[in-house]
Amino acid sequence: MDFEDYFPSMVASLGAEGFIGELYNGFHLLMDANKGLITFESLKMNCFMLGLEVRDEELVYMLMEGDLDGDGALNQMEFCILMFRLSPCLMDGPKIYTTHQGVDPMLM
């Protein structure tokens, strides 16, 4: 299976702020509305709703890959960091810096 990284073209067309906004929208689509986090259950439910057949072990691995604070779920910042890490082309391009309040779309 070939992987095509669309993030760089999204940044080019949306700009940094628009791209971060789209990441936030993606987070909100996947998160558990009551917890404000992407949990195993919310990820599993969304995969099912999208018609994706993903094993439980794969879902756990996805969460572990991005879980920086060890709580077993992804908050908004962890999700955005994971998306950047999974985009090799984006990591080689202009940088978007984070602040303690969120993501600063200042390009270098």
Side-chain angles (χ1 to χ4, degrees):
M1 174 187 256
D2 291 329
F3 172 76
E4 188 166 348
D5 187 359
Y6 291 103
F7 283 179
S9 62
M10 289 176 68
V11 171
S13 66
L14 298 172
E17 257 183 82
F19 177 70
I20 295 299
E22 287 303 310
L23 285 180
Y24 286 174
N25 290 338
F27 173 81
H28 286 281
L29 287 172
L30 296 173
M31 76 174 195
D32 177 312
N34 295 323
K35 296 181 180 178
L37 300 168
I38 296 175
T39 63
F40 172 81
E41 293 81 12
S42 70
L43 194 55
K44 185 170 183 161
M45 179 188 66
N46 281 291
C47 285
F48 175 77
M49 289 177 17
L50 292 169
L52 302 173
E53 293 183 26
V54 184
R55 294 189 325 265
D56 287 355
E57 299 82 35
E58 293 173 306
L59 296 174
V60 169
Y61 179 76
M62 289 178 198
L63 290 171
M64 287 174 45
E65 184 72 22
D67 182 15
L68 301 175
D69 61 12
D71 66 355
L74 300 180
N75 62 38
Q76 188 167 292
M77 184 59 66
E78 289 171 325
F79 175 77
C80 288
I81 290 169
L82 178 62
M83 293 298 100
F84 273 82
R85 285 182 34 224
L86 294 176
S87 174
C89 296
L90 195 58
M91 293 301 292
D92 293 335
K95 306 297 182 236
I96 297 178
Y97 294 94
T98 60
T99 66
H100 72 280
Q101 295 174 337
V103 176
D104 181 1
M106 180 179 72
L107 294 175
M108 193 166 104

